[in-house]
Amino acid sequence: MTSVPSFENACIAPAATGPSDVWLVGVTGSAGRLDAYIVNLANLNAPSARFIATQVEIGVWSGLAERGCYPFINTKNDPNTPILMHQFGTLSYGTHVFPNGTIASSAYFTNATFISPKTFSLSPAVDGINWFAALTNNRLHDTHSGWVGIRIRSDWSMAARGNRDRVLSVYPTETPLLSVGTFELNASGSNSAYHTVFDTDGSGTIYAAVGNSGPIQTSSDRVLTLANPQKVDMNGITLSEKAIPVTMNSVGYILDQALDGTTMVYSISPNRDVKLRRVGALSDVLPFKSSMAASYMDTQIVVYSSQGKPVFNTFDTVTRKWSGPGLIKSQLQVSDDLDDTSSKVPLAAIIGGVVGGLVVIAVAVFLIIRYRRRKTRSPGNSAEKVDSGNTNADSAPVQQSPSSPPPPPTQQVVISEEQKIQQPQPSHLPQPQQPQPPYLPQPQQPQPPYLPQPQQPQYFPQPQQPQPLYLPQPQQQFMHQPQPIQQYGQFGPQQPYPHTIVYPDGQRQSYIYVPPTFVPVQQPYPDPNSPPYSQRAHSPPVPSTSGTDANTSDAGSPTSPQHPNSFHP
């Protein structure tokens, strides 16, 4: 026995040598040396490894390439039943590793480069024969798909004729995230096999898989047939690119990274339903590592990781508990939805029964208290209660004189208070006053915003608008300015000086300005209609209606300044 070796890209598989044994296969260094071990996991904290065989093929085995290990169904309990070890990527080689220390020569399929172990699903399997639905990097013109069917026997070479078929009848998506196979076993082999493919768009499809174990003689003979596709009920689950598939006979498991960095377990059983389910752990959980290698051993999922120190961990699918070193507490509250876990059903039934019983008791107590309160508050029942109370009080001394002591004072006070409270309540409550508080403030609320609104814009701007257009202001300024007196004809300096006012709107008005200091003292004319001297001297000019001088008469022309009636001092 030796210590467990550390491999960068290892693969594990259940071994037929014991119930706690698993295969561990990896490449040591870069020299192309393939090493195989069988590890006993009876003590996960101190597992023991046994070296089986080694094979060196330069240019074939690479420590940087991914690989997968797949067991063959061993119904005959043959201790030398091999496993299939297949390498992926540009160096797509495979071989058989036997427990007796033999590693078969490497083999490959022509024009077929298998991409990843995540898209290399075992389904179905019978005694000594495995079928795989695998994705390659090249497509055929007739199928337009990279999916192929592979059939490998435990005693055949991988390159044997008829082990590969590109015709599958129905082809899965060309952008798969991962795939997982499931199958059921019976005495004659397997039946009800399924191939489940999860797409990168978040969906999944289940295909019924049927393998052909007979010889391939004609072009119509198929190796693997996929049919009857059904959509997976994802149940609100979104798988990541780091997810790892594990085939455990009729149940397919998926290990994925949770939000807190731990390992989340999902399961799907296509032979029962199409729902993807969460498997919540009932213990500390394993931190997720994308370089983990996963397989199964009986009812346990086995995980191998080698970052620094090689470590094995197991997850029991029955007890839902992780085992092994390096476990941590999860920060997530996972509500699994398994319906086939025996440990969860009794717990749910017990909790449901306790909660249901508490609810029934609470409702019964509430109804009893409510009934008693109603009976106590009603007037007729309260009177009956008083009588019955007095009867109970007097039941002990049956023969009692009229001068017997009254009932206890506390009982009388309680009864009188109940009667006082119950009698005036219907008539004393002011029913019409209840709507008054919300009614009074309603008409007062719109008044403050209503009054100032019409006053501010209507009252103040109206008198201010015509003020700039007021005309008497320029007349006073113009008339107070002294104007020179020009002579016209024989009247000399007493000749009136005509003026014209032009208003802003374009109208013109003429008048004669008569300075009061230049009015001579003369006798008034004998005209009876002429005003007296004082009135003539201080009379304002009379505006003209024709746009010319205002003081005209029939005796002369309106434009003649020499007429005596053109100016009246």
Side-chain angles (χ1 to χ4, degrees), residues 232-249:
V232 176
D233 181 5
M234 297 300 294
N235 195 21
I237 300 172
T238 301
L239 301 177
S240 68
E241 296 179 354
K242 301 178 181 180
I244 302 173
V246 178
T247 297
M248 188 185 292
N249 296 338

Side-chain angles (χ1 to χ4, degrees), residues 290-504:
S290 58
S291 61
M292 295 189 306
S295 184
Y296 74 96
M297 182 179 63
D298 196 13
T299 60
Q300 301 182 42
I301 299 175
V302 183
V303 177
Y304 169 82
S305 59
S306 62
Q307 292 183 356
K309 180 182 178 181
V311 176
F312 277 94
N313 295 94
T314 60
F315 178 77
D316 196 319
T317 58
V318 178
T319 62
R320 296 187 304 169
K321 292 182 179 181
W322 284 96
S323 301
L327 302 180
I328 61 175
K329 292 186 178 296
S330 177
Q331 303 298 326
L332 302 177
Q333 296 293 334
V334 180
S335 58
D336 55 14
D337 46 8
L338 292 177
D339 58 355
D340 57 346
T341 304
S342 58
S343 62
K344 184 176 179 62
V345 173
L347 181 62
I350 293 172
I351 295 175
V354 172
V355 174
L358 293 177
V359 171
V360 172
I361 294 173
V363 171
V365 171
F366 173 76
L367 294 177
I368 293 173
I369 295 174
R370 186 177 179 183
Y371 173 76
R372 289 183 177 180
R373 288 182 178 178
R374 288 184 177 181
K375 185 177 180 181
T376 303
R377 291 179 181 178
S378 60
N381 291 336
S382 92
E384 293 176 359
K385 183 177 180 181
V386 172
D387 295 339
S388 61
N390 294 334
T391 304
N392 293 333
D394 298 338
S395 58
V398 179
Q399 301 294 332
Q400 204 170 30
S401 62
S403 61
S404 62
T410 55
Q411 184 176 3
Q412 292 182 356
V413 172
V414 172
I415 295 173
S416 61
E417 289 295 333
E418 292 178 355
Q419 293 177 356
K420 289 180 181 180
I421 292 173
Q422 294 176 0
Q423 291 178 0
Q425 281 181 355
S427 60
H428 182 267
L429 293 177
Q431 296 181 357
Q433 293 181 0
Q434 293 180 358
Q436 289 181 2
Y439 176 76
L440 293 176
Q442 291 181 359
Q444 295 178 2
Q445 292 179 359
Q447 288 181 2
Y450 175 77
L451 293 176
Q453 289 181 0
Q455 293 179 0
Q456 292 180 359
Q458 295 182 2
Y459 178 78
F460 292 99
Q462 291 181 0
Q464 293 178 1
Q465 293 179 359
Q467 287 181 2
L469 302 177
Y470 186 72
L471 297 177
Q473 292 181 2
Q475 293 180 3
Q476 294 177 3
Q477 295 176 2
F478 182 80
M479 293 178 63
H480 284 80
Q481 297 177 0
Q483 301 291 337
I485 304 299
Q486 298 182 4
Q487 296 181 1
Y488 291 91
Q490 60 182 355
F491 295 99
Q494 299 179 357
Q495 178 67 27
Y497 184 76
H499 295 274
T500 303
I501 296 177
V502 180
Y503 293 93

Side-chain angles (χ1 to χ4, degrees), residues 122-123 180-183 192-196 206-209 230 270-271:
L122 174 60
S123 177
V180 60
T182 55
F183 54 89
S192 302
Y194 298 92
H195 175 64
T196 305
I206 300 174
Y207 301 89
Q230 300 182 40
N271 60 330

Side-chain angles (χ1 to χ4, degrees), residues 87-121:
Q87 188 172 267
F88 297 88
T90 56
L91 300 176
S92 294
Y93 293 92
T95 186
H96 286 42
V97 182
F98 294 86
N100 59 3
T102 304
I103 299 179
S105 300
S106 62
Y108 65 95
F109 290 101
T110 59
N111 299 325
T113 300
F114 299 103
I115 297 176
S116 171
K118 295 182 180 181
T119 54
F120 196 85
S121 301

